[in-house]
Amino acid sequence: MTTTVQGSDSKANASKLGEVEEKTEQMLQRARLAAAVFTQYSQEQVDKIVKAMTIAAIEAAPALAQQAHEETRMGLTEDKVLKNFVASEFQYNQIKNTRTCGIVKEYPEEDMVEYAEPIGVILALSPVTNPTSTVIFKSIACAKTRNAIVFSPHLMAANCSNNAAQIVYEAGIKAGAPKHFITWVEKSSKLRKETERMMSHPQVDLIFATGGTQMVRTAYSSGKPALGVGSGNTPCYLHKSADIHSSVKDIITSKTFDNGTECPSEQTLVIDREVGEQVLREFERLGCYVCKPEEVEQVADAVIDAKTGGMNYRLVGQPAYKIAQEAGLDVPLDCKIVLCPLEGELRHHRLAVEKLMPVLGYVFVDSVYEGINRSLDINYGGGTGHTAGVFARDEEVISLFADSINAGRIIVNCPTSIGGLGGVYNNLNTTLSFGCGTGGGNITSDNVGIKNLINYKKVPRRTVYDVVFQTTNSLHVNPGSIEVLSHQKTKSAVILTTKSADKRGHLSAVLEKMPEDCKTRVYDNIGVEPDFSAIKAAVDFLRATKPDTIVALGGGSVLDAAKLIRLFYDYPDMDINHLSVAFLDFRHRIAQFPKSNKTKLIAIPTTSGTGSEVTPFAVMRDSEKQRKISFVDQTLLPDIAIVDANLTKTLPLTITCDTAFDALTHALEALVSAVAFDYTDGLALESMRLIFEALPMILENPEDIVYRHKLHHASCLAGMAIGNVSVGVNHALAHSLGATFDVSHGRANGVFLLSTLDYNENVPGKFVSISNYHTWVADKKYARAAEFLGLYKPEEGKADTDEEVRKGIKALKQRIYDLGRLCKQPLSISELGITPEEFQSKLPILVKAAFEDLSIKTNPRFPMIEEMVQLFVSAYPERQPPK
Amino acid sequence: MTNSKPHEVIINTIRVPAYFNGEINGAKKFANESQSPVLINFAECTFITVDGLEWLEEFVSSVESTGKHCRFENMTPSIYKVFKVARIDCLLRSCGAPVIPEGAVC
């Protein structure tokens, strides 16, 4: 059987290869098929295979340990048995209930699930220090994750490693695993070269490298994704608060484990001087040898390779007695560890490196800071990101140590070698591969395990945001309803208003209704479209008078200003710059408003336009930058709104028309807002109907309270609509124009209305990129509005056809045009008296400000910058009747 | 296996069993006697083993060596994915899938 590698002819290649290489090709191709077949396995099938492999590994643990020791002459058979158990029994215990097929994790709160995707073919290197346990560990981990694994053993441990692989493979096959799911490279003189060739082989998906530094480096430079491990140099800080007896016992247990071959094992002890002698005596009592200063060089000569400055590999995993003998020291045969004081500059000491043998350096320190700093010297001296240990009862010391040291595992009050393996002394993931993070040149700092052998496929569902309708708590809407002021529970109130309120008699009407026992003061310095200095002046007035209630009496500017005045009065530390930071999505914005208000705000509109009494918005002029700043938050909503049409009876007709066109803009923009919903649609439609009905009548009879009442309601209903679904591009254009040419808000809105309808009725060049915008229906909604207003009747059964929709939109535009002309309302920029030269010179500024305006975010069509230019340009010439 | 003759076009269909572990009796003889394309129907197949994959590769290669070609039909995504992961050119050709170039392609 031959298998073609993508983009190559394997038969032709094979013919050019030698016998060893051909075997490798065949092995990788078989592993590829096994990986493909493995994708079909269920969790139950996988778990059955994993259990069978684990049992086989446990049964073979002693024999494999003995074989490993005999082949490598490193470590201790007894400890290698334990490692084999850790790799099988302990790992199995940790992973047996972990899902690795299909859905592996659910995130109900995020409405998201995660599926597992196998990696494919994994090339695994196994080291000489843990030749059988690593193979057991990786084989079981790969089976659990449905990956095929190809082992490249260390040449000095190939027989025992491959034997371990064969034992777990056969058990897996009996339990139903795919043929060739575990394969291994036979021992040969070409083994290393073959391994390097496989590292860049197209059939290999991942390299799982545990081994010598050089091999790990080669893996990383192969161009394949690689899970490698860094070298270790574990510092261990023994703080004076530690239990000395148990700490020393643990360190001995750790450092003598498999004769020190475990890379997380302690390399240098950093001991508080206060307990230093006690610690050393305890080491001696338990059978360790503490070198005299003059003996240290002898040990270093034996233990350290003079050429490389690293450990002498000949002594790796050898007993302490043998090492001492090599160093010319006379120690008992059963000596457990040789301890060496590291005097002088620690960072340059020859023994301050990794020594995978029972040789320990030590230094004394005089403070916690010095202890941690010397630990950092060791940590960064060849073991960055690997392992560190601390023995202490003082939690602050442990915390400072953990925060300072750069290690993937910081082992507390237990042996670092066995502790690092995980699952024995702590709940770390069981592993024989220690990720060291970027400090060690690795992609992970984990105890590498099954979670690193899976591709995770996240499946997020479309977010459905909670749709809430919010408005002012209490609305009093009849003519004469300012009467409710007399029932308010307030002892001290400030009326925020303009000077014109007095002239129009509104102020006296309100003062008359204030409760008798309420001390009421008036602040009438709120100008037209106030800036922050005006807001601050009003706040200062409030701080001097300390009211429990604010009554805002006036048009939109006064009401908006009052919302901000209350905010800064209640919360003096609020930063206006933070509150007005722009946002893409309201729900993710940076601005943090307070959750509640302290002072009651009663809003009494005296114009029928902004609907500010029921909106969570406030717009403020930024005098410095010639722009308007918008604030949005539910806490800006007034507590009470009094929509009393009596207060609008004397409103001049010009202002009546300007503000009515503002309300009409609100209704039209809310209707087609990208976040509009049924509740706001109803409000917008009824608002339009009232405006079209009332405004012409008011022009004829300005003091007709019935139509003033209807227009006042229209403004409030449209305000509720935009208060929940915001406005659109018309407002962005109007804000920009108004700030640049000092045009009142309602009037500025009016000049763009027909241009934005022209713009929004066409299929967008770009849709609004917000998650809860499901369909584009702006054109149909305009037509529906025309039908609702009785402006046209679609042919039966054809209401949604393009032809009928166009008719409806035309009828709506005609109605707006007619109303505008009836009111003598400017319907274009030129009709405002702005010359072409003025307009052209300001066009770039106008476009920039409009594009940065928050209002465009909910427009059904996302305006590109060039479209924004066209919107301004198309709104300039005198407005002609709609075509 | 079915053999019909509508409009003088011979349709050959080899049905792959639910658990496909290699070798479909008579398939090679059938393919030899049939016209191209040789249709291989996976409608019932829910699992393919390594032996099954190896047999398919050999079978398709042998059909292609006679100048005919095979066409796989009615594969479930799970079976199609096995072919994708296995990366065997002749099987992917039979699926009508493009041969995947080596390495990542954006």
Side-chain angles (χ1 to χ4, degrees), chain A residues 507-520:
Chain A
L507 183 57
S508 57
V510 166
L511 280 168
E512 203 178 288
K513 301 296 179 190
M514 292 302 287
E516 280 179 16
D517 58 343
C518 173
K519 193 169 183 182
T520 306

PDB file of all heavy atoms in Angstrom, chain A residues 507-520:
ATOM      1  N   LEU A 507     -42.390  81.164  34.938  1.00  0.00           N
ATOM      2  CA  LEU A 507     -41.729  81.071  36.234  1.00  0.00           C
ATOM      3  C   LEU A 507     -42.715  81.336  37.365  1.00  0.00           C
ATOM      4  O   LEU A 507     -42.769  80.589  38.350  1.00  0.00           O
ATOM      5  CB  LEU A 507     -40.560  82.066  36.284  1.00  0.00           C
ATOM      6  CG  LEU A 507     -39.724  82.039  37.560  1.00  0.00           C
ATOM      7  CD1 LEU A 507     -39.149  80.654  37.816  1.00  0.00           C
ATOM      8  CD2 LEU A 507     -38.594  83.073  37.491  1.00  0.00           C
ATOM      9  N   SER A 508     -43.505  82.377  37.213  1.00  0.00           N
ATOM     10  CA  SER A 508     -44.460  82.693  38.292  1.00  0.00           C
ATOM     11  C   SER A 508     -45.488  81.567  38.431  1.00  0.00           C
ATOM     12  O   SER A 508     -45.893  81.212  39.544  1.00  0.00           O
ATOM     13  CB  SER A 508     -45.148  84.027  38.005  1.00  0.00           C
ATOM     14  OG  SER A 508     -45.792  83.966  36.751  1.00  0.00           O
ATOM     15  N   ALA A 509     -45.860  80.960  37.290  1.00  0.00           N
ATOM     16  CA  ALA A 509     -46.837  79.857  37.344  1.00  0.00           C
ATOM     17  C   ALA A 509     -46.281  78.686  38.136  1.00  0.00           C
ATOM     18  O   ALA A 509     -46.990  78.049  38.926  1.00  0.00           O
ATOM     19  CB  ALA A 509     -47.191  79.417  35.924  1.00  0.00           C
ATOM     20  N   VAL A 510     -45.004  78.438  37.918  1.00  0.00           N
ATOM     21  CA  VAL A 510     -44.386  77.307  38.630  1.00  0.00           C
ATOM     22  C   VAL A 510     -44.173  77.643  40.093  1.00  0.00           C
ATOM     23  O   VAL A 510     -44.473  76.839  40.987  1.00  0.00           O
ATOM     24  CB  VAL A 510     -43.056  76.918  37.932  1.00  0.00           C
ATOM     25  CG1 VAL A 510     -42.227  75.992  38.812  1.00  0.00           C
ATOM     26  CG2 VAL A 510     -43.339  76.255  36.587  1.00  0.00           C
ATOM     27  N   LEU A 511     -43.661  78.850  40.350  1.00  0.00           N
ATOM     28  CA  LEU A 511     -43.409  79.246  41.740  1.00  0.00           C
ATOM     29  C   LEU A 511     -44.686  79.158  42.569  1.00  0.00           C
ATOM     30  O   LEU A 511     -44.676  78.743  43.730  1.00  0.00           O
ATOM     31  CB  LEU A 511     -42.843  80.673  41.785  1.00  0.00           C
ATOM     32  CG  LEU A 511     -41.352  80.816  41.475  1.00  0.00           C
ATOM     33  CD1 LEU A 511     -40.974  82.280  41.270  1.00  0.00           C
ATOM     34  CD2 LEU A 511     -40.519  80.204  42.609  1.00  0.00           C
ATOM     35  N   GLU A 512     -45.761  79.537  41.921  1.00  0.00           N
ATOM     36  CA  GLU A 512     -47.065  79.521  42.597  1.00  0.00           C
ATOM     37  C   GLU A 512     -47.464  78.116  43.049  1.00  0.00           C
ATOM     38  O   GLU A 512     -48.129  77.927  44.051  1.00  0.00           O
ATOM     39  CB  GLU A 512     -48.106  80.031  41.596  1.00  0.00           C
ATOM     40  CG  GLU A 512     -49.359  80.592  42.213  1.00  0.00           C
ATOM     41  CD  GLU A 512     -50.263  81.110  41.100  1.00  0.00           C
ATOM     42  OE1 GLU A 512     -49.915  82.159  40.502  1.00  0.00           O
ATOM     43  OE2 GLU A 512     -51.275  80.447  40.820  1.00  0.00           O
ATOM     44  N   LYS A 513     -47.008  77.119  42.273  1.00  0.00           N
ATOM     45  CA  LYS A 513     -47.416  75.737  42.574  1.00  0.00           C
ATOM     46  C   LYS A 513     -46.452  75.009  43.516  1.00  0.00           C
ATOM     47  O   LYS A 513     -46.716  73.879  43.911  1.00  0.00           O
ATOM     48  CB  LYS A 513     -47.508  74.926  41.273  1.00  0.00           C
ATOM     49  CG  LYS A 513     -48.487  75.464  40.251  1.00  0.00           C
ATOM     50  CD  LYS A 513     -49.905  75.416  40.776  1.00  0.00           C
ATOM     51  CE  LYS A 513     -50.882  75.989  39.760  1.00  0.00           C
ATOM     52  NZ  LYS A 513     -52.226  76.175  40.321  1.00  0.00           N
ATOM     53  N   MET A 514     -45.332  75.640  43.808  1.00  0.00           N
ATOM     54  CA  MET A 514     -44.368  74.938  44.669  1.00  0.00           C
ATOM     55  C   MET A 514     -44.959  74.789  46.070  1.00  0.00           C
ATOM     56  O   MET A 514     -45.705  75.655  46.532  1.00  0.00           O
ATOM     57  CB  MET A 514     -43.052  75.721  44.739  1.00  0.00           C
ATOM     58  CG  MET A 514     -42.276  75.752  43.423  1.00  0.00           C
ATOM     59  SD  MET A 514     -41.850  74.107  42.797  1.00  0.00           S
ATOM     60  CE  MET A 514     -40.543  73.633  43.931  1.00  0.00           C
ATOM     61  N   PRO A 515     -44.650  73.708  46.781  1.00  0.00           N
ATOM     62  CA  PRO A 515     -45.225  73.493  48.122  1.00  0.00           C
ATOM     63  C   PRO A 515     -44.898  74.672  49.043  1.00  0.00           C
ATOM     64  O   PRO A 515     -43.817  75.257  48.950  1.00  0.00           O
ATOM     65  CB  PRO A 515     -44.523  72.218  48.604  1.00  0.00           C
ATOM     66  CG  PRO A 515     -44.014  71.565  47.379  1.00  0.00           C
ATOM     67  CD  PRO A 515     -43.744  72.636  46.388  1.00  0.00           C
ATOM     68  N   GLU A 516     -45.826  74.941  49.917  1.00  0.00           N
ATOM     69  CA  GLU A 516     -45.680  76.126  50.775  1.00  0.00           C
ATOM     70  C   GLU A 516     -44.459  76.043  51.678  1.00  0.00           C
ATOM     71  O   GLU A 516     -43.785  77.034  51.946  1.00  0.00           O
ATOM     72  CB  GLU A 516     -46.938  76.302  51.640  1.00  0.00           C
ATOM     73  CG  GLU A 516     -48.052  76.958  50.863  1.00  0.00           C
ATOM     74  CD  GLU A 516     -49.310  77.119  51.706  1.00  0.00           C
ATOM     75  OE1 GLU A 516     -49.212  77.007  52.952  1.00  0.00           O
ATOM     76  OE2 GLU A 516     -50.375  77.346  51.112  1.00  0.00           O
ATOM     77  N   ASP A 517     -44.191  74.824  52.161  1.00  0.00           N
ATOM     78  CA  ASP A 517     -43.075  74.697  53.117  1.00  0.00           C
ATOM     79  C   ASP A 517     -41.737  74.458  52.413  1.00  0.00           C
ATOM     80  O   ASP A 517     -40.752  74.109  53.048  1.00  0.00           O
ATOM     81  CB  ASP A 517     -43.359  73.553  54.096  1.00  0.00           C
ATOM     82  CG  ASP A 517     -43.564  72.237  53.372  1.00  0.00           C
ATOM     83  OD1 ASP A 517     -43.802  72.257  52.135  1.00  0.00           O
ATOM     84  OD2 ASP A 517     -43.487  71.183  54.033  1.00  0.00           O
ATOM     85  N   CYS A 518     -41.721  74.650  51.137  1.00  0.00           N
ATOM     86  CA  CYS A 518     -40.463  74.420  50.387  1.00  0.00           C
ATOM     87  C   CYS A 518     -39.761  75.756  50.151  1.00  0.00           C
ATOM     88  O   CYS A 518     -40.379  76.709  49.653  1.00  0.00           O
ATOM     89  CB  CYS A 518     -40.775  73.747  49.061  1.00  0.00           C
ATOM     90  SG  CYS A 518     -39.343  73.620  47.992  1.00  0.00           S
ATOM     91  N   LYS A 519     -38.465  75.781  50.490  1.00  0.00           N
ATOM     92  CA  LYS A 519     -37.688  76.984  50.219  1.00  0.00           C
ATOM     93  C   LYS A 519     -37.222  76.900  48.763  1.00  0.00           C
ATOM     94  O   LYS A 519     -36.405  76.042  48.417  1.00  0.00           O
ATOM     95  CB  LYS A 519     -36.492  77.039  51.167  1.00  0.00           C
ATOM     96  CG  LYS A 519     -35.818  78.375  51.168  1.00  0.00           C
ATOM     97  CD  LYS A 519     -34.811  78.461  52.314  1.00  0.00           C
ATOM     98  CE  LYS A 519     -34.197  79.845  52.340  1.00  0.00           C
ATOM     99  NZ  LYS A 519     -33.189  79.955  53.380  1.00  0.00           N
ATOM    100  N   THR A 520     -37.773  77.713  47.917  1.00  0.00           N
ATOM    101  CA  THR A 520     -37.495  77.632  46.478  1.00  0.00           C
ATOM    102  C   THR A 520     -36.645  78.804  46.017  1.00  0.00           C
ATOM    103  O   THR A 520     -36.941  79.959  46.326  1.00  0.00           O
ATOM    104  CB  THR A 520     -38.814  77.619  45.681  1.00  0.00           C
ATOM    105  OG1 THR A 520     -39.634  76.577  46.180  1.00  0.00           O
ATOM    106  CG2 THR A 520     -38.542  77.403  44.195  1.00  0.00           C
TER     107      THR A 520
END
